[in-house]
């Protein structure tokens, strides 16, 4: 019976059982998409990352991400976890690894302080009238929201960290939006900004810590706060910390990881 390796890492935290669990599956070549999606469903964490040696110039690996229900165009925590596995379990000796993805080139650098820093795109967003389904889901919300065309997320900017902590949306209403999810964010009490992320559109009720949404949050808060380097917290029950910096059309998103397990997946013949 053929097998492939499987690793699971808690991303955006140095402490085990916090941050965001991600599965990482290194492959010699792509399996059928249906098999990849079945593995992601079986893993049943918010994201499974699959990587193969790259056939694309200026990239070391091709990288894809799947939730239990669907493939997504960009994922931060599973990218961070993938880089951690390469650096710490698969013998990658360079201090940088380059990925080719559906969102273009991505890089992860191992910093001198042990943090891993991702080079992500600066994702554009536009102001829109808050959809009625979001109003139904959250109750009192701002009249205007932001829409992110890259991944179809909406973003709500609330008044305070307490408002973000207390958000308790009706997930059925959010799923009926037909998009990926909704970000809620506000100024932080001890960090520059805080957030939470609800993604029932891809069968993730609340994602514990989401690197990719900081490709939107970072440019928004950098402009609003008048600073390029930002400290961020995601306020799920597991929680996570991120260091972010706006660098023109790119965003640096840094975090730590805690190793959970390694094993093998038995593939069907």
């Amino acid at each position: 019976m053929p097998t492939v390796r499987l690793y699971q890492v808690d991303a955006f935290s140095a402490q085990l059982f916090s941050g965001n669990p991600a599965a990482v599956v290194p492959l010699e070549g792509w399996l059928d998409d249906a098999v990849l999606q079945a593995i992601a469903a079986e893993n049943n964490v918010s994201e499974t990352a699959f990587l193969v040696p790259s056939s694309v110039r200026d990239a070391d690996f091709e990288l894809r991400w799947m939730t239990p229900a669907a493939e997504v165009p960009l994922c931060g925590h599973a990218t961070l976890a993938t880089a951690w596995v390469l650096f710490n379990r698969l013998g990658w000796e360079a201090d940088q690894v380059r990925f080719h993805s559906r969102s273009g080139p991505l890089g992860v650098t191992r910093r001198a302080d042990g943090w891993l820093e991702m080079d992500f795109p600066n994702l554009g967003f536009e102001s829109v009238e808050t959809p009625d389904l979001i109003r139904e889901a959250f109750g009192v919300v701002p009249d205007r929201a932001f829409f992110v065309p890259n991944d179809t997320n909406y973003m709500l900017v609330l008044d305070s960290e307490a408002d973000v902590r207390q958000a308790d949306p009706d997930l059925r209403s959010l799923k009926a939006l037909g998009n990926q999810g909704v970000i809620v964010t506000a100024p932080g009490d001890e960090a520059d900004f805080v957030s939470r992320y609800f993604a029932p559109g891809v069968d993730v009720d609340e994602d514990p810590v989401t690197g990719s949404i900081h490709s939107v949050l970072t440019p928004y808060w950098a402009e609003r706060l008048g600073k390029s380097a930002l400290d961020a917290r995601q306020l799920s029950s597991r929680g996570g910390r991120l260091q972010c910096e706006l660098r023109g059309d790119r965003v640096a998103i840094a975090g730590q990881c805690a190793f959970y397990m390694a094993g093998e997946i038995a593939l069907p013949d």
Side-chain angles (χ1 to χ4, degrees), residues 41-126:
E42 187 83 5
N43 290 339
N44 200 33
V45 293
S46 59
E47 302 283 353
T48 295
F50 300 94
L51 68 155
V52 302
S54 179
S55 59
V56 178
R57 184 179 177 183
D58 297 329
D60 302 305
F61 297 92
E62 296 174 29
L63 183 61
R64 297 170 66 183
W65 313 272
M66 292 186 178
T67 76
E71 185 168 7
V72 296
L74 185 63
C75 177
H77 84 280
T79 301
L80 197 76
T82 299
W84 189 95
V85 168
L86 285 165
F87 289 135
N88 294 280
R89 290 293 183 274
L90 298 181
W92 189 258
E93 295 182 355
D95 285 331
Q96 183 185 53
V97 59
R98 304 166 303 169
F99 298 112
H100 174 74
S101 76
R102 286 175 56 185
S103 290
L106 308 173
V108 183
T109 300
R110 177 168 44 190
R111 300 191 324 201
D113 62 4
W115 286 55
L116 300 182
E117 182 179 284
M118 301 186 295
D119 172 40
F120 265 37
N122 176 344
L123 295 183
F125 53 91
E126 56 197 40

Side-chain angles (χ1 to χ4, degrees), residues 8 28 41 69 106 123 163 216 231 240 249:
Q8 190 166 316
E28 295 181 1
L106 308 173
L123 295 183
D163 291 336
V216 180
D231 190 36
D249 63 353

Side-chain angles (χ1 to χ4, degrees), residues 103-225:
S103 290
L106 308 173
V108 183
T109 300
R110 177 168 44 190
R111 300 191 324 201
D113 62 4
W115 286 55
L116 300 182
E117 182 179 284
M118 301 186 295
D119 172 40
F120 265 37
N122 176 344
L123 295 183
F125 53 91
E126 56 197 40
S127 177
V128 296
E129 184 176 351
T130 302
D132 289 340
L133 283 169
I134 291 181
R135 295 180 184 277
E136 293 176 13
F138 284 91
V140 179
V141 294
D143 291 334
R144 304 291 295 181
F146 296 96
F147 180 71
V148 187
N150 174 271
D151 55 16
T152 71
N153 281 318
Y154 287 92
M155 181 171 73
L156 299 175
V157 181
L158 307 182
D159 291 333
S160 69
E161 179 171 315
D163 291 336
V164 173
R165 289 187 181 278
Q166 293 165 11
D168 186 22
D170 178 78
L171 296 172
R172 289 175 296 180
S173 294
L174 290 188
K175 189 162 188 174
L177 274 170
N179 73 321
Q180 186 164 304
V182 176
I183 306 159
V184 293
T185 186
D189 295 338
E190 298 180 358
D192 290 306
F193 66 89
V194 297
S195 66
R196 291 171 67 191
Y197 180 48
F198 306 94
V202 288
D203 283 0
V204 179
D205 290 348
E206 180 174 2
D207 198 33
V209 195
T210 317
S212 61
I213 64 173
H214 290 77
S215 283
V216 180
L217 289 163
T218 300
Y220 174 84
W221 286 108
E223 180 177 359
R224 177 163 163 175
L225 298 177

